[in-house]
């Protein structure tokens, strides 16, 4: 009997030990993690005339971003796009140059869905939370669509078309001709003065003008359509009676055809100096950890870790997460009453982060 007890205990111990080992799930997020680009924006004391020319000395001293890339980061865009920024106590200024051999536009009504034309788009999240952000789109006719999203579409967000930036100033310059298919154009430029007051309202506290070193999230997108010329007019290209897919080109890589993953947007850092040269970028030591948390959220809610949602409430799973070629971290999945959450402890700062089924990231 004694030997039988030992045997049974051994079987139970072995089974329990095997079960513990089985709880660890190996997962890689390398392909989906994005380390955003950053831009240091200098403060201007000049009176900026919004004319699409950006001829002021402050503009000349401001650096352009890198050229835009394909939204999935796979192919090189057909045409070049770049932008630069300035700010003062009233406005965030954006200037963009878009190379284009055929400049055209048809939409003239404000708050029309502008991306049905070739357009330039700005996405701004002053709170850096991905909750409550603004979007501005503009075409070569200087037609604007400005809207507010309470949260991303992926978690049930709604667009508010009534959110109008009434003090927005914008201008377009055409280097070539507009809506004339009989010649080859060079580029078009877009310049905006985006009022700071409604953007400050989207910040967490303090709701004040940006201070030295303050960071927001921002990204830019260019939507480009292939076109047909019919009876001397431009139309979006159709194949088998359906519009061809548009091209999407961005500043900071999204890795998917979806601008509404705001955790991937670039980082905008404010300086009160007249030039950003010599101003150090304030690096977030836990940026990779945070981006890994978002990647786990996306994988669990929408992709190959979705099976974890079938776990019983209260169940936990340990994950061994490969974040990059040289970095890995442990994460704990917890099935909750409302969905799920992950806990990840940073090996750099010892801070524990929690992200839930809504993509809300917090420090523990």
């Amino acid at each position: 009997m004694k030997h039988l007890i030992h045997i049974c205990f051994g079987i139970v111990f072995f089974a329990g030990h095997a079960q513990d080992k089985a709880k660890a799930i190996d997962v890689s997020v390398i392909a989906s993690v994005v380390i955003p680009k950053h831009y240091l924006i200098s403060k201007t004391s000049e009176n900026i005339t919004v004319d699409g020319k950006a001829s002021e000395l402050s503009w000349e001293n401001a650096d352009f971003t890198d050229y835009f890339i394909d939204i999935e980061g796979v192919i090189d865009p057909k045409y070049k796009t770049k932008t630069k920024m300035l700010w003062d106590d009233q406005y965030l200024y954006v200037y963009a140059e878009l190379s284009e051999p055929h400049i055209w536009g048809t939409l003239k009504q404000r708050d029309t869905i502008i991306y049905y034309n070739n357009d330039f788009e700005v996405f701004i999240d002053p709170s850096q939370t991905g909750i409550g952000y603004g979007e501005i789109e503009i075409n070569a006719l200087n037609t604007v669509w400005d809207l507010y999203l309470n949260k991303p579409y992926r978690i049930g967000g709604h667009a508010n078309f009534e959110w109008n930036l009434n003090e927005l100033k914008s201008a377009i310059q055409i280097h070539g001709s507009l809506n004339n298919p009989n010649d080859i154009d060079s580029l078009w430029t877009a310049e905006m003065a985006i009022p700071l007051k409604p953007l400050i309202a989207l910040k967490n506290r303090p709701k004040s003008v940006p201070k030295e070193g303050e960071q927001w999230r921002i990204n830019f997108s260019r939507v480009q359509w292939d076109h047909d010329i019919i009876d001397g007019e431009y139309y979006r290209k159709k194949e088998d009676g359906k519009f061809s897919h548009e091209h999407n080109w961005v500043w900071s890589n999204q890795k998917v055809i979806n601008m509404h993953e705001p955790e991937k947007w670039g980082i905008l850092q404010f300086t009160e100096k007249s030039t950003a040269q010599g101003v150090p970028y304030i690096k977030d030591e836990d940026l990779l950890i945070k981006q890994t948390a978002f990647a786990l959220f996306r994988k669990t809610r929408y992709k190959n870790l979705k099976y974890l949602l079938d776990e019983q409430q209260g169940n936990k799973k340990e994950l061994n997460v490969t974040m990059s070629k040289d970095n890995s971290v442990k994460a704990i999945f917890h099935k909750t009453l409302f969905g799920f959450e992950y806990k990840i402890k940073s090996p750099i700062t010892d801070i524990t982060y929690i992200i839930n089924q809504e993509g809300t990231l917090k420090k523990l």
Side-chain angles (χ1 to χ4, degrees):
M1 183 67 179
K2 185 176 180 180
H3 293 295
L4 183 60
I5 292 172
H6 285 168
I7 292 170
C8 290
F9 175 78
I11 292 172
V12 171
F13 176 80
F14 178 79
H17 183 65
Q19 187 177 17
D20 287 343
K21 289 187 70 175
K23 287 180 181 178
I25 302 169
D26 293 324
V27 59
S28 174
V29 296
I30 293 175
S32 55
V33 161
V34 169
I35 300 301
K37 293 183 178 181
H38 63 269
Y39 186 94
L40 273 64
I41 181 172
S42 58
K43 191 172 186 179
T44 179
S45 58
E46 286 188 275
N47 291 322
I48 301 295
T49 300
V50 179
D51 54 9
K53 297 178 181 179
S55 56
E56 291 84 357
L57 182 61
S58 295
W59 274 130
E60 293 180 10
N61 291 334
D63 291 330
F64 273 108
T65 62
D66 296 332
Y67 285 117
F68 286 19
I69 61 174
D70 178 74
I71 194 169
E72 295 179 287
V74 177
I75 58 175
D76 291 328
K78 192 173 182 179
Y79 308 126
K80 292 186 180 300
T81 314
K82 59 183 178 179
T83 186
K84 54 182 167 180
M85 290 167 276
L86 294 168
W87 74 288
D88 60 25
D89 288 341
Q90 279 74 47
Y91 293 99
L92 172 68
Y93 300 96
V94 176
Y95 171 76
E97 292 185 356
L98 303 89
S99 298
E100 172 64 81
H102 286 277
I103 304 172
W104 63 277
T106 59
L107 302 174
K108 300 179 181 180
Q109 179 66 43
R110 186 177 176 128
D111 288 342
T112 306
I113 300 177
I114 297 299
Y115 63 75
Y116 288 159
N117 279 175
N118 296 337
D119 77 354
F120 173 71
E121 305 177 354
V122 185
F123 297 81
I124 310 175
D125 177 15
S127 73
Q128 298 195 87
T129 63
I131 302 297
Y133 57 85
E135 177 181 349
I136 307 166
E137 303 185 6
I138 190 168
N139 68 1
L141 288 167
N142 197 23
T143 309
V144 169
W145 181 24
D146 45 1
L147 59 154
Y148 165 83
L149 279 95
N150 61 332
K151 54 186 177 181
Y153 294 117
R154 66 188 178 189
I155 54 172
H158 297 283
N160 180 1
F161 292 9
E162 303 303 318
W163 187 75
N164 286 331
L165 299 167
N166 295 320
E167 296 180 17
L168 175 73
K169 302 176 185 178
S170 64
I172 301 292
Q173 286 289 325
I174 306 295
H175 294 251
S177 61
L178 179 64
N179 289 327
N180 181 4
N182 297 316
D183 61 5
I184 298 299
D185 307 314
S186 175
L187 60 87
W188 59 287
T189 66
E191 185 177 7
M192 301 180 191
I194 306 169
L196 273 183
K197 188 174 180 180
L199 300 182
I200 290 170
L202 303 181
K203 286 175 55 177
N204 294 328
R205 296 185 184 278
K207 293 186 182 293
S208 57
V209 171
K211 305 297 183 185
E212 181 71 33
E214 183 171 325
Q215 295 181 342
W216 293 6
R217 285 301 188 95
I218 193 166
N219 209 355
F220 304 98
S221 172
R222 175 180 179 177
V223 173
Q224 186 75 19
W225 297 90
D226 293 329
H227 65 267
D228 286 321
I229 299 171
I230 303 172
D231 296 330
E233 295 185 359
Y234 290 100
Y235 295 89
R236 284 190 289 161
K237 190 175 187 66
K238 285 186 176 182
E239 295 178 356
D240 298 325
K242 296 181 180 180
F243 289 115
S244 301
H245 289 295
E246 77 278 14
H247 305 281
N248 295 274
W249 304 328
V250 300
W251 168 50
S252 191
N253 196 357
Q254 292 289 125
K255 285 193 174 181
V256 293
I257 305 175
N258 184 1
M259 285 304 298
H260 295 276
E261 294 191 350
E263 66 271 14
K264 298 177 181 177
W265 296 351
I267 298 168
L268 181 66
Q269 180 175 312
F270 291 84
T271 178
E272 297 188 41
K273 300 181 184 297
S274 60
T275 176
Q277 294 182 1
V279 177
Y281 169 61
I282 303 171
K283 187 177 180 181
D284 183 349
E285 291 183 298
D286 282 343
L287 182 58
L288 179 57
I289 291 289
K290 293 176 181 178
Q291 296 301 84
T292 296
F294 280 112
L296 287 173
F297 152 73
R298 295 190 300 268
K299 279 181 172 290
T300 305
R301 180 143 182 177
Y302 309 107
K303 297 186 178 180
N304 61 330
L305 291 178
K306 198 171 181 179
Y307 69 90
L308 291 174
L309 300 180
D310 295 329
E311 290 288 329
Q312 291 185 351
Q313 181 183 334
N315 281 3
K316 295 183 179 181
K317 293 286 185 181
E318 181 179 302
L319 285 77
N320 298 320
V321 185
T322 303
M323 303 183 291
S324 66
K325 182 180 177 182
D326 301 314
N327 295 280
S328 61
V329 71
K330 290 191 181 298
I332 303 299
F333 168 87
H334 181 204
K335 184 66 171 65
T336 65
L337 175 62
F338 299 103
F340 66 89
E341 67 179 23
Y342 281 98
K343 288 184 181 180
I344 308 178
K345 185 176 182 179
S346 167
I348 299 173
T349 63
D350 285 333
I351 295 172
T352 297
Y353 294 92
I354 297 178
I355 194 165
N356 66 10
Q357 71 284 341
E358 294 292 300
T360 301
L361 181 70
K362 295 181 179 180
K363 294 180 183 179
L364 187 62

